[in-house]
């Protein structure tokens, strides 16, 4: 593998190149490239060998992000772009990865060690590796939205449809997927962290739990355990191995703030957001969509799933779609009896009761996620202010109804 360093900050780029030279990394180009010369070198080198490109910047302006995209395209899938700079803002991490970077390195946080780790990881990947499996991320914007339960059932639906499906519990502070599937794991993310330097495809495969539904689970660390060794670099390596091993990978995310979660979110083919039909969940989902919009995540890469639909006095799906200013094409009905039984026996709904309405809706969602690429939406998105006005109108309608009822009783 060839390694070249470029960027808008030549001093920073020279420092990065010197770090590689001091560490004795082989294949490093002898000098720092300008943007134009880097593109020429990438096109020439990619015809012979895979190449790693370190793009260095202290600001990552829109011009820098455009340059990352151009260099990534010049590499024809054989160049791995790594953004290097003082990058701690989750929004900027998202934008850099969506522009074409495979990873982001913060020069102010364990930089030398993480730089060597990512170069080692890239060199370990065969040049003619098969196309990676699809990555779907599931994230709940509020507690009780049903993200983990949906993740288990979608994974089981994929497996039932003949896909080799990996399920990753990225709740580093303690997730529930192992309990939802009633498994007793021998390994989890924390145990892999202790062997991060030796982690390879064989070790990763042995760490997965093969559930009777066909799902291959990598559990989260135990609650209240030390998860600090589960670094963003480890999670990226796990994702790389999972996508090389499985045709479909589902990642159950904890939040959209910590670096390992943000990088997974940015690398996803599709982001799935379960929405509870109440005002709190609607508000949090609205805020999350605004965050993704600022990070330039296309709306056609986001799937809103109305979950637990049909509860008494719940918000209507049509009204929630108006507030969010995007369609809600998937609805999962509320079925406490079937869900509680599934959770208590550790068998996903799509496996234990495939003919129930809730199981059929989840299976249909799985088919749609795999079956077609997201449709392009031609209509322009309205502003965040317009969405807030929609919320205000919704809240105001409820408040006025409550006030009218109170006055009527008082009369």
């Amino acid at each position: 593998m060839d390694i070249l360093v470029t960027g808008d900050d030549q001093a920073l780029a020279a420092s990065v190149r010197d770090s590689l030279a001091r560490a004795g990394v082989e294949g490093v180009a002898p000098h720092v490239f300008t943007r134009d010369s880097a593109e020429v070198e990438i096109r020439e080198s990619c015809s012979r060998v895979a190449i790693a490109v370190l793009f260095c910047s202290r600001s990552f302006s829109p011009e820098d992000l455009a340059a990352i995209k151009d260099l990534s395209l010049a590499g024809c899938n054989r160049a791995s772009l790594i953004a290097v700079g003082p990058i701690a803002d989750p929004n900027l991490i998202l934008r850099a990865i969506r522009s074409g970077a495979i990873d982001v390195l913060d020069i102010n946080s364990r930089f030398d060690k993480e730089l060597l780790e990512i170069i080692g990881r890239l060199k370990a990947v065969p040049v003619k590796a098969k196309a990676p499996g699809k990555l779907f991320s599931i994230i709940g914007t509020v507690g009780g939205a049903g993200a983990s339960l949906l993740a288990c059932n979608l994974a089981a639906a994929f497996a039932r449809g003949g896909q080799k499906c990996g399920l990753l519990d990225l709740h580093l502070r303690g997730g529930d997927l192992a309990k939802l599937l009633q498994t007793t794991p021998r390994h989890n993310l924390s145990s892999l962290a202790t062997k991060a330097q030796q982690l390879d495809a064989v070790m990763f495969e042995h760490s997965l739990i093969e559930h009777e539904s066909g799902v291959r689970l990598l559990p989260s660390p135990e609650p209240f355990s030390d998860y600090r060794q589960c670094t963003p670099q480890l999670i990226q390596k796990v994702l790389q191995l999972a996508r090389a091993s499985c045709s479909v990978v589902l990642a159950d995310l904890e939040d959209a703030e910590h670096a390992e979660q943000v990088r997974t979110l940015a690398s996803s083919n599709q982001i799935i957001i379960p929405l509870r039909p109440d005002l709190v969940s609607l508000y949090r989902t609205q805020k999350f969509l605004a965050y993704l919009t600022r990070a330039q995540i296309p709306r056609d890469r986001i799937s809103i799933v109305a979950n637990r639909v049909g509860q008494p006095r719940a918000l209507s799906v049509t009204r929630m779609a108006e507030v969010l200013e995007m369609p809600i094409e998937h609805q999962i009905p509320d079925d406490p009896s079937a869900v509680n039984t599934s959770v208590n026996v550790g068998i996903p709904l799509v496996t234990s009761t495939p003919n129930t309405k809730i199981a059929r809706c989840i299976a249909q969602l799985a088919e749609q996620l795999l079956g077609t690429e997201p449709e392009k939406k031609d209509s322009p998105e309205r502003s965040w202010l317009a969405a807030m006005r929609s919320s205000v109108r919704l809240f105001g309608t409820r408040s006025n109804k409550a006030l009218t009822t109170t006055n009527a009783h008082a009369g």
Side-chain angles (χ1 to χ4, degrees):
M1 170 178 280
D2 289 344
I3 302 171
L4 64 85
V5 184
T6 184
D8 75 330
D9 190 315
Q10 293 288 293
L12 175 59
S15 175
V16 170
R17 196 221 160 272
D18 291 343
S19 295
L20 291 168
R22 286 194 302 270
V25 177
E26 297 180 355
V28 183
H31 60 275
V32 172
F33 290 81
T34 64
R35 291 185 189 180
D36 292 338
S37 61
E39 184 169 347
V40 174
E41 182 67 19
I42 289 170
R43 292 185 187 279
E44 293 180 353
S45 296
C46 283
S47 64
R48 306 187 308 269
V49 66
I51 184 170
V53 182
L54 302 174
F55 188 94
C56 305
S57 174
R58 293 191 181 276
S59 62
F60 284 96
S61 64
E63 291 76 15
D64 292 333
L65 296 175
I68 290 176
K69 185 175 183 178
D70 291 341
L71 293 174
S72 178
L73 292 173
C76 300
N77 298 322
R78 291 172 63 87
S80 300
L81 270 291
I82 305 160
V84 180
I87 308 175
D89 180 11
N91 186 296
L92 189 54
I93 294 173
L94 276 170
R95 294 177 64 187
I97 294 179
R98 295 304 299 186
S99 296
I102 65 162
D103 210 338
V104 176
L105 294 180
D106 185 356
I107 59 173
N108 296 323
S109 176
R110 302 172 67 246
F111 173 69
D112 287 345
K113 180 179 179 180
E114 293 184 1
L115 176 61
L116 295 180
E117 285 180 357
I118 192 170
I119 294 298
R121 189 170 80 235
L122 291 174
K123 287 191 172 186
V125 178
V127 174
K128 294 185 178 180
K130 64 179 182 180
K134 288 188 175 182
L135 173 62
F136 298 118
S137 287
I138 301 180
I139 181 169
T141 61
V142 68
S148 294
L149 185 70
L150 181 58
C152 283
N153 278 275
L154 276 177
F158 289 141
R160 194 175 181 212
Q163 300 289 331
K164 186 177 181 182
C165 182
L167 180 59
L168 309 179
D169 194 336
L170 298 188
H171 287 248
L172 302 190
R173 293 141 195 88
D176 299 320
L177 296 188
K179 285 299 180 184
L180 285 172
L181 294 175
Q182 292 296 314
T183 60
T184 305
R186 292 176 302 158
H187 305 283
N188 59 33
L189 275 169
S190 288
S191 57
L192 290 184
T194 62
K195 306 171 185 176
Q197 297 296 329
Q198 298 80 34
L199 182 58
D200 58 15
V202 175
M203 186 182 299
F204 175 75
E205 288 282 344
H206 285 316
S207 300
L208 300 177
I209 299 172
E210 295 194 30
H211 188 260
E212 61 186 80
S213 63
V215 174
R216 302 160 67 81
L217 170 67
L218 181 62
S220 69
E222 285 291 317
F224 307 109
S225 64
D226 186 1
Y227 59 85
R228 288 173 294 179
Q229 287 184 305
C230 298
T231 63
Q233 287 67 41
L234 171 68
I235 302 304
Q236 287 296 296
K237 191 169 187 177
V238 165
L239 284 169
Q240 174 186 314
L241 292 170
R243 298 182 75 178
S245 170
C246 302
S247 57
V248 181
V249 177
L250 267 77
D252 186 11
L253 300 188
E254 186 169 27
D255 55 48
E257 298 178 14
H258 294 87
E260 74 284 343
Q261 313 284 324
V262 173
R263 294 181 189 185
T264 304
L265 200 64
S267 303
S268 302
N269 295 96
Q270 198 75 8
I271 300 168
I272 304 162
I273 307 173
L275 170 64
R276 212 175 54 197
D278 59 58
L279 289 177
V280 174
S281 183
L282 179 62
Y283 171 75
R284 294 293 293 270
T285 301
Q286 190 180 49
K287 297 286 284 185
F288 184 53
L289 288 176
Y291 164 71
L292 294 180
T293 298
R294 291 194 300 272
Q296 299 181 350
I297 302 295
R299 285 290 177 102
D300 61 6
R301 295 295 176 188
I302 303 169
S303 295
I304 304 292
V305 179
N307 197 17
R308 302 174 65 182
V309 173
Q311 298 181 38
R313 303 187 68 79
L315 298 179
S316 75
V317 174
T318 301
R319 192 69 186 98
M320 291 192 296
E322 291 177 359
V323 172
L324 297 177
E325 297 190 304
M326 67 180 296
I328 300 177
E329 299 173 349
H330 310 289
Q331 300 183 34
I332 299 176
D334 189 41
D335 191 343
S337 177
V339 168
N340 288 337
T341 301
S342 169
V343 171
N344 290 335
V345 300
I347 303 176
L349 291 157
V350 296
T351 302
S352 59
T353 55
N355 294 323
T356 57
K357 185 176 181 181
I358 183 173
R360 291 199 305 270
C361 289
I362 295 173
Q364 183 180 19
L365 171 59
E367 291 173 0
Q368 292 180 358
L369 287 170
L370 283 181
T372 58
E373 290 294 322
E375 296 182 0
K376 300 296 182 183
K377 299 174 177 60
D378 296 329
S379 58
E381 296 174 4
R382 287 180 289 174
S383 66
W384 167 250
L385 178 60
M388 286 299 292
R389 286 172 177 166
S390 295
S391 296
V392 170
R393 288 197 298 269
L394 175 61
F395 300 162
T397 300
R398 289 172 59 91
S399 300
N400 289 339
K401 287 182 178 179
L403 183 59
T404 301
T405 303
T406 302
N407 290 337
H409 284 303

